[in-house]
PDB file of all heavy atoms in Angstrom:
ATOM      1  N   ARG O 149      -6.671  28.637  -0.484  1.00  0.00           N
ATOM      2  CA  ARG O 149      -5.923  27.277  -0.530  1.00  0.00           C
ATOM      3  C   ARG O 149      -6.297  26.487   0.783  1.00  0.00           C
ATOM      4  O   ARG O 149      -6.092  25.259   0.741  1.00  0.00           O
ATOM      5  CB  ARG O 149      -4.425  27.596  -0.636  1.00  0.00           C
ATOM      6  CG  ARG O 149      -4.089  28.159  -1.982  1.00  0.00           C
ATOM      7  CD  ARG O 149      -2.573  28.575  -1.934  1.00  0.00           C
ATOM      8  NE  ARG O 149      -1.733  27.512  -1.836  1.00  0.00           N
ATOM      9  CZ  ARG O 149      -1.154  26.933  -2.814  1.00  0.00           C
ATOM     10  NH1 ARG O 149      -1.401  27.280  -4.037  1.00  0.00           N
ATOM     11  NH2 ARG O 149      -0.395  25.825  -2.647  1.00  0.00           N
ATOM     12  N   ASN O 196      -1.686  25.613 -15.846  1.00  0.00           N
ATOM     13  CA  ASN O 196      -0.689  24.556 -15.630  1.00  0.00           C
ATOM     14  C   ASN O 196      -1.192  23.227 -16.190  1.00  0.00           C
ATOM     15  O   ASN O 196      -1.345  22.269 -15.468  1.00  0.00           O
ATOM     16  CB  ASN O 196      -0.412  24.454 -14.143  1.00  0.00           C
ATOM     17  CG  ASN O 196      -1.578  24.235 -13.290  1.00  0.00           C
ATOM     18  OD1 ASN O 196      -2.742  24.358 -13.818  1.00  0.00           O
ATOM     19  ND2 ASN O 196      -1.384  24.028 -12.052  1.00  0.00           N
ATOM     20  N   LYS O 200       0.746  16.508 -21.254  1.00  0.00           N
ATOM     21  CA  LYS O 200       0.119  15.387 -21.974  1.00  0.00           C
ATOM     22  C   LYS O 200      -0.825  15.945 -23.003  1.00  0.00           C
ATOM     23  O   LYS O 200      -0.983  17.181 -23.241  1.00  0.00           O
ATOM     24  CB  LYS O 200      -0.698  14.569 -20.972  1.00  0.00           C
ATOM     25  CG  LYS O 200       0.106  13.887 -19.885  1.00  0.00           C
ATOM     26  CD  LYS O 200      -0.846  13.280 -18.726  1.00  0.00           C
ATOM     27  CE  LYS O 200      -0.116  12.886 -17.646  1.00  0.00           C
ATOM     28  NZ  LYS O 200       0.217  11.471 -17.541  1.00  0.00           N
ATOM     29  N   TYR O 208      -7.778  12.973 -17.000  1.00  0.00           N
ATOM     30  CA  TYR O 208      -7.005  12.528 -15.814  1.00  0.00           C
ATOM     31  C   TYR O 208      -7.821  12.385 -14.541  1.00  0.00           C
ATOM     32  O   TYR O 208      -7.757  11.400 -13.895  1.00  0.00           O
ATOM     33  CB  TYR O 208      -5.858  13.490 -15.582  1.00  0.00           C
ATOM     34  CG  TYR O 208      -4.886  13.092 -14.477  1.00  0.00           C
ATOM     35  CD1 TYR O 208      -4.116  11.931 -14.731  1.00  0.00           C
ATOM     36  CD2 TYR O 208      -4.886  13.725 -13.306  1.00  0.00           C
ATOM     37  CE1 TYR O 208      -3.336  11.496 -13.652  1.00  0.00           C
ATOM     38  CE2 TYR O 208      -4.032  13.318 -12.267  1.00  0.00           C
ATOM     39  CZ  TYR O 208      -3.257  12.178 -12.464  1.00  0.00           C
ATOM     40  OH  TYR O 208      -2.441  11.745 -11.418  1.00  0.00           O
ATOM     41  N   THR O 248      -0.097  21.768 -23.749  1.00  0.00           N
ATOM     42  CA  THR O 248       0.799  22.949 -23.575  1.00  0.00           C
ATOM     43  C   THR O 248       0.997  23.696 -24.870  1.00  0.00           C
ATOM     44  O   THR O 248       1.631  24.748 -24.851  1.00  0.00           O
ATOM     45  CB  THR O 248       2.124  22.471 -22.994  1.00  0.00           C
ATOM     46  OG1 THR O 248       2.598  21.319 -23.611  1.00  0.00           O
ATOM     47  CG2 THR O 248       2.070  22.273 -21.483  1.00  0.00           C
TER      48      THR O 248
ATOM     49  N   SER R 348       3.932  23.833 -10.227  1.00  0.00           N
ATOM     50  CA  SER R 348       2.644  24.009 -10.744  1.00  0.00           C
ATOM     51  C   SER R 348       2.059  22.675 -11.208  1.00  0.00           C
ATOM     52  O   SER R 348       0.815  22.479 -11.071  1.00  0.00           O
ATOM     53  CB  SER R 348       2.685  24.979 -11.931  1.00  0.00           C
ATOM     54  OG  SER R 348       3.400  24.494 -12.993  1.00  0.00           O
ATOM     55  N   GLU R 351       0.844  20.925  -8.098  1.00  0.00           N
ATOM     56  CA  GLU R 351      -0.352  21.561  -7.551  1.00  0.00           C
ATOM     57  C   GLU R 351      -1.551  21.115  -8.493  1.00  0.00           C
ATOM     58  O   GLU R 351      -2.681  20.829  -7.920  1.00  0.00           O
ATOM     59  CB  GLU R 351      -0.253  23.084  -7.600  1.00  0.00           C
ATOM     60  CG  GLU R 351       0.572  23.592  -6.460  1.00  0.00           C
ATOM     61  CD  GLU R 351       0.547  25.060  -6.380  1.00  0.00           C
ATOM     62  OE1 GLU R 351       0.309  25.644  -7.463  1.00  0.00           O
ATOM     63  OE2 GLU R 351       0.668  25.565  -5.310  1.00  0.00           O
ATOM     64  N   LEU R 354      -2.486  17.598  -7.544  1.00  0.00           N
ATOM     65  CA  LEU R 354      -3.189  17.560  -6.203  1.00  0.00           C
ATOM     66  C   LEU R 354      -4.470  18.224  -6.211  1.00  0.00           C
ATOM     67  O   LEU R 354      -5.412  17.809  -5.551  1.00  0.00           O
ATOM     68  CB  LEU R 354      -2.185  18.202  -5.184  1.00  0.00           C
ATOM     69  CG  LEU R 354      -0.971  17.469  -4.831  1.00  0.00           C
ATOM     70  CD1 LEU R 354      -0.120  18.268  -3.841  1.00  0.00           C
ATOM     71  CD2 LEU R 354      -1.239  16.066  -4.229  1.00  0.00           C
ATOM     72  N   HIS R 366       2.520   9.655 -11.695  1.00  0.00           N
ATOM     73  CA  HIS R 366       2.000  10.047 -13.018  1.00  0.00           C
ATOM     74  C   HIS R 366       2.589  11.347 -13.521  1.00  0.00           C
ATOM     75  O   HIS R 366       2.570  11.545 -14.738  1.00  0.00           O
ATOM     76  CB  HIS R 366       0.421  10.353 -12.828  1.00  0.00           C
ATOM     77  CG  HIS R 366      -0.385   9.184 -12.488  1.00  0.00           C
ATOM     78  ND1 HIS R 366      -1.686   9.220 -12.033  1.00  0.00           N
ATOM     79  CD2 HIS R 366      -0.087   7.877 -12.462  1.00  0.00           C
ATOM     80  CE1 HIS R 366      -2.140   8.003 -11.743  1.00  0.00           C
ATOM     81  NE2 HIS R 366      -1.172   7.195 -12.034  1.00  0.00           N
ATOM     82  N   TRP R 465       6.172  18.864 -23.498  1.00  0.00           N
ATOM     83  CA  TRP R 465       5.305  19.640 -24.385  1.00  0.00           C
ATOM     84  C   TRP R 465       5.153  21.114 -24.019  1.00  0.00           C
ATOM     85  O   TRP R 465       5.012  21.341 -22.867  1.00  0.00           O
ATOM     86  CB  TRP R 465       3.870  18.971 -24.506  1.00  0.00           C
ATOM     87  CG  TRP R 465       3.910  17.736 -25.373  1.00  0.00           C
ATOM     88  CD1 TRP R 465       4.894  17.448 -26.326  1.00  0.00           C
ATOM     89  CD2 TRP R 465       3.004  16.679 -25.372  1.00  0.00           C
ATOM     90  NE1 TRP R 465       4.579  16.327 -26.901  1.00  0.00           N
ATOM     91  CE2 TRP R 465       3.445  15.817 -26.384  1.00  0.00           C
ATOM     92  CE3 TRP R 465       1.818  16.411 -24.653  1.00  0.00           C
ATOM     93  CZ2 TRP R 465       2.712  14.656 -26.623  1.00  0.00           C
ATOM     94  CZ3 TRP R 465       1.212  15.333 -24.870  1.00  0.00           C
ATOM     95  CH2 TRP R 465       1.647  14.406 -25.862  1.00  0.00           C
TER      96      TRP R 465
END
Side-chain angles (χ1 to χ4, degrees):
Chain O
R149 294 168 66 95
N196 54 356
K200 296 172 189 263
Y208 183 68
T248 43
Chain R
S348 63
E351 283 189 333
L354 290 177
H366 298 166
W465 283 340

